[in-house]
Amino acid sequence: MTVIRFAAQNFRNIADEEIFPCEEVNVIYGGNAQGKTNLLEGLWLFTGGHSFRGAKDTELPRLDKPTGKNSPSTTIEMDFFSEDREQNAVLQIESGRRTSWINEVKKNSGSALVGKVRAVIFSPEHLMLIKEGPPYRRKFIDTALCQIKPSYAGLMVNYRKTVAQRNALLKEIAKEPKMMGTVSVWDARTADLGARVMEERRQFISNIEPFIQETFQGISKGRESIHISYVPSFQPGNSVQETAALFVKELERTVSSDVRSGFTITGPHRDDIEIQINGVSARVYGSQGQQRSAVLAMKLAEARILEECTGEAPIVLLDDVLSELDKERQDYLLNHLHDQQVFITCCEPDTVDIMKTGMRFRVESGIIYPEEA
């Protein structure tokens, strides 16, 4: 899919602007706090998700600095080509409530946009995927799977609810040990759902790793290698049924510890991904540039596998991705990402000069100035 036109009114620091991006690489550049990331944020909202910056919807309408109050509402609009036709989507946020229109048909929520526009986002916060603990890496898998397989979102919701109910029972057992006999019911339910989650994750890692390796090789000009592997909290079986049976045994084995902690200590909610660069831990030994390249490769690979599964390439949003990358890695992102629409933000004007084709947009105080590369 490609974005043909994006317009915003009273969105963040943008009063009334529109852009007509090209089908390949679009660089959005300017100084700090000028509104570059606001454009990416607006594009991302058309996926039906929340702000990737963690902002509340009430914070998105333009702030009037003299009064210190936000505008009553904000409206963003997108013309895009998808499913072999040109389409239109409008999202209005007023008093924290979303209303959307898809091809001029009004919807009562922003969630109606889910599946209409697909995008992959990289922001500096995604470096936590390598720098921090397992929850960030699990989120990477789960977020990608939810776009590829909408049914996976429901599976995760059911699994988390079941684990929460088992945890509540564990706390009760600590007070009333005679309730121990009821835990087997939740063990079976947890194991059934958990085994299905684990299989989806295992398949995802297996499918995405070749794309990650290929992209990382391109970014590093073949000088470095990457390997990722799924690290479950216990050794699964060769099928969902076998894994479920092993999961039940593991829950039975650890139940005493679970009761003492009041928490289910094993299962896919404790899984991890191991990321290695040149055979060693990226988290422990990777440089800032290597870590950024690794996360970037994972996000670009996510776009590739999303295209493979849906038949359409998602738009790729890269926020502040060029910093801490050498000129060769910057050249790869600016000149070698083909067959997909990319939006990149950066601060340094000199970096933009590396571009050979595409579009660039200079942003100053929320005003957008288009330029040809």
Side-chain angles (χ1 to χ4, degrees), residues 23-249:
E23 295 183 0
E24 293 190 338
V25 176
N26 299 271
V27 171
I28 303 160
Y29 76 100
N32 290 323
Q34 299 303 303
K36 304 182 301 295
T37 301
N38 295 343
L39 286 175
L40 266 59
E41 184 179 34
L43 290 165
W44 174 258
L45 291 176
F46 281 103
T47 64
H50 294 289
S51 165
F52 64 82
R53 303 156 88 180
K56 299 176 183 177
D57 282 357
T58 53
E59 299 169 344
L60 299 179
R62 190 166 183 256
L63 181 68
D64 182 57
K65 291 185 178 179
T67 65
K69 296 181 180 180
N70 291 85
S71 301
S73 66
T74 180
T75 301
I76 53 177
E77 183 176 0
M78 179 193 290
D79 297 330
F80 61 100
F81 190 85
S82 178
E83 298 175 344
D84 298 320
R85 62 192 177 106
E86 188 173 324
Q87 302 190 58
N88 172 268
V90 178
L91 178 63
Q92 183 182 68
I93 300 174
E94 185 172 7
S95 301
R97 179 178 175 82
R98 296 189 184 193
T99 305
S100 61
W101 289 261
I102 301 171
N103 299 323
E104 300 184 348
V105 178
K106 185 177 181 180
K107 306 293 182 179
N108 292 325
S109 70
S111 61
L113 294 169
V114 173
K116 293 294 182 181
V117 175
R118 292 186 174 90
V120 169
I121 178 75
F122 169 94
S123 70
E125 288 76 14
H126 285 109
L127 292 172
M128 299 295 186
L129 199 157
I130 287 181
K131 293 176 178 293
E132 298 296 332
Y136 292 91
R137 293 181 283 280
R138 289 194 296 268
K139 185 178 180 181
F140 165 72
I141 304 177
D142 294 339
T143 300
L145 275 170
C146 285
Q147 285 207 79
I148 295 166
K149 290 186 175 183
S151 61
Y152 181 79
L155 174 61
M156 279 303 304
V157 167
N158 289 334
Y159 175 74
R160 287 171 180 152
K161 284 182 178 178
T162 301
V163 171
Q165 289 167 323
R166 185 178 188 272
N167 290 344
L169 176 60
L170 293 171
K171 293 179 177 67
E172 289 297 318
I173 292 172
K175 301 174 187 176
E176 297 288 341
K178 64 182 180 181
M179 297 181 67
M180 180 68 82
T182 62
V183 76
S184 61
V185 176
W186 294 107
D187 286 356
R189 176 72 171 159
T190 301
D192 175 60
L193 294 169
R196 289 157 58 191
V197 169
M198 293 172 70
E199 179 59 19
E200 293 285 2
R201 288 177 174 176
R202 184 197 64 77
Q203 288 185 3
F204 173 75
I205 294 298
S206 176
N207 292 337
I208 200 174
E209 189 187 25
F211 293 129
I212 294 174
Q213 292 174 339
E214 178 185 339
T215 304
F216 191 80
Q217 286 273 314
I219 295 172
S220 67
K221 302 296 183 182
R223 296 191 301 266
E224 298 169 345
S225 63
I226 190 171
H227 174 69
I228 70 168
S229 56
Y230 180 40
V231 184
S233 60
F234 68 94
Q235 185 60 44
N238 296 318
S239 66
V240 172
Q241 293 78 13
E242 188 177 333
T243 297
L246 291 170
F247 196 175
V248 168
K249 290 182 180 179

Side-chain angles (χ1 to χ4, degrees), residues 37 40 122 124 292 318-323 344-348:
T37 301
L40 266 59
F122 169 94
R292 187 174 289 260
L318 306 177
D319 186 31
D320 191 24
V321 72
L322 299 175
S323 61
I344 302 177
T345 67
C346 71
C347 292
E348 300 79 9

